Amino acid sequence: MTALTGFAAIYRDREKLPLRTRLLFTFGAVVALHVAAVVLLLLGSAGAAQPLALGLVVTAYVAGVKHSYDWDHIAAIDNSTRKLVAQHKDPVSVGFAFSLGHSSVVILAGLLVTAGATLIGQFMEDGTAGNKMLGLIGSGVSGLFLLGMGLFNGSAFLRATQVYRSIQAGGTIREEDLEAKGFVARLLAKPLSKVERPRNIYVIGFLFGLGFDTATTIGLLVITTTASLAGVSPLALMALPFAFTAAMTLCDSINGVAMMKMYRSAINDPQRKLGFNVVITGISAVSALFISVITLGGFVNAAFELEDPLTSWLGEIDLGDAGLLLVALFVIAWAVSAWRGRVMR
């Protein structure tokens, strides 16, 4: 009981812990998810189904890695990190919290499949009422959240651009000049005020995951159902969503920490890296607004059963592989900034 009380006290004061300690806690939780997947596989893969179970777990793990680089994942984590860093916080666990919320839906669905619940079947079948309802919830929440973040960071981008031009004209820079200000920032301050800490992103990630329209998610659940029929034990079946979660939390956590370091470097040395801050914030805002338009267009098309060419086209766009492009843009921007920083020394 004393140990639990002490752990609860540490959790409440976690924002006061050193950055390295919080990183250890975050990636320790990721390691724990990997261990859970391995233990479930070992306990449940005895007998003839062992090779099948191992192959399915590896497939689920690879699916988690791929899913973590969906453009909506990258944009949500990036824009949330940008907002928190602008408030002078060190959001080390944004990626982990978002990914854990997103994959919690998959774990719950996998648990229902393993328990033999047939209700989950209607959510996996495209066109059914259950699938459409959850898809609307997931796309509506993700679209509105990314729209708000895109506008908020767009305001920060405009502000940073003004400061950059002022510096070029011989002006001076203040740290607060890089914060989002103006009408849009004030307008969005209240709706986005709930996103004050990385743990708030968990709920956003969970709501993102409610839409079973993602091919990776549907594929994982279908694999789980098929494996159940093939005689794979319940414990080994539960290793599938845990492997998926372990992979996705690992990649999203790494992405979140990398983005935090990029934004912190821009704020901690604004004079030298102001141009980098302008570029990277602009990429964040544009990506979020771009995805929100696509997501909300698909939402409107599905909600009102429209047949017009524009929303129909938006609803059919697959952003699954585009996340790698977004990551590449961030890496290029960071590399150019680092190179210019060395040249200027």
Side-chain angles (χ1 to χ4, degrees):
M1 193 70 176
T2 305
L4 289 176
T5 304
F7 184 80
I10 293 175
Y11 179 79
R12 285 193 299 269
D13 296 332
R14 62 194 177 282
E15 294 182 358
K16 300 178 182 178
L17 295 174
L19 180 63
R20 181 174 297 181
T21 303
R22 284 185 286 148
L23 284 170
L24 288 174
F25 272 108
T26 297
F27 285 97
V30 173
V31 171
L33 288 170
H34 281 75
V35 171
V38 172
V39 170
L40 287 170
L41 175 63
L42 293 176
L43 292 177
S45 61
Q50 182 175 359
L52 174 62
L54 178 59
L56 292 176
V57 167
V58 172
T59 301
Y61 192 88
V62 173
V65 172
K66 181 180 183 299
H67 193 54
S68 67
Y69 286 97
D70 280 6
W71 199 320
D72 59 342
H73 270 243
I74 301 298
I77 294 170
D78 166 61
N79 280 265
S80 301
T81 301
R82 172 67 179 81
K83 174 182 180 293
L84 295 175
V85 170
Q87 297 173 347
H88 307 287
K89 299 176 181 178
D90 294 322
V92 300
S93 57
V94 166
F96 176 79
F98 177 87
S99 188
L100 188 64
H102 193 85
S103 55
S104 293
V105 177
V106 179
I107 292 178
L108 290 174
L111 183 62
L112 289 174
V113 170
T114 303
T118 57
L119 180 64
I120 195 66
Q122 69 167 315
F123 298 125
M124 295 164 57
E125 296 178 8
D126 190 25
T128 60
N131 179 271
K132 183 176 180 179
M133 177 188 69
L134 290 184
L136 289 175
I137 294 174
S139 60
V141 169
S142 61
L144 290 174
F145 177 74
L146 288 174
L147 177 63
M149 282 296 182
L151 292 174
F152 183 87
N153 287 330
S155 176
F157 167 72
L158 294 176
R159 180 67 180 174
T161 302
Q162 293 175 352
V163 175
Y164 184 69
R165 290 175 177 174
S166 174
I167 294 298
Q168 288 184 320
T172 58
I173 185 173
R174 297 172 301 173
E175 190 171 296
E176 58 268 23
D177 285 336
L178 298 178
E179 298 178 2
K181 297 179 181 178
F183 173 74
V184 174
R186 291 195 299 270
L187 181 67
L188 295 172
K190 188 170 184 179
L192 293 181
S193 62
K194 301 298 181 182
V195 185
E196 294 182 345
R197 294 175 178 84
R199 68 171 180 267
N200 301 139
I201 308 298
Y202 174 88
V203 178
I204 302 297
F206 186 88
L207 294 174
F208 265 51
L210 284 180
F212 283 109
D213 54 342
T214 303
T216 305
T217 305
I218 295 176
L220 178 65
L221 295 177
V222 169
I223 288 174
T224 306
T225 305
T226 305
S228 176
L229 297 175
V232 177
S233 71
L235 286 176
L237 289 177
M238 283 308 300
L240 300 182
F242 270 93
F244 180 87
T245 300
M248 192 160 61
T249 53
L250 174 62
C251 295
D252 282 346
S253 296
I254 293 173
N255 292 338
V257 171
M259 291 169 184
M260 179 195 72
K261 288 183 176 295
M262 284 196 298
Y263 288 125
R264 283 183 64 198
S265 68
I267 287 182
N268 292 338
D269 193 358
Q271 179 72 44
R272 183 169 64 85
K273 299 188 177 179
L274 181 59
F276 165 71
N277 188 65
V278 171
V279 172
I280 208 75
T281 305
I283 293 175
S284 301
V286 170
S287 65
L289 293 173
F290 175 66
I291 297 171
S292 69
V293 168
I294 294 175
T295 305
L296 292 176
F299 170 83
V300 171
N301 180 267
F304 299 101
E305 299 181 348
L306 302 178
E307 297 182 358
D308 66 289
L310 178 58
T311 59
S312 298
W313 174 67
L314 290 174
E316 293 174 357
I317 294 178
D318 182 11
L319 294 172
D321 297 326
L324 293 174
L325 175 61
L326 186 57
V327 172
L329 289 175
F330 286 127
V331 172
I332 291 172
W334 175 83
V336 171
S337 173
W339 174 77
R340 292 186 63 183
R342 289 187 178 184
V343 170
M344 293 172 62
R345 287 176 182 174

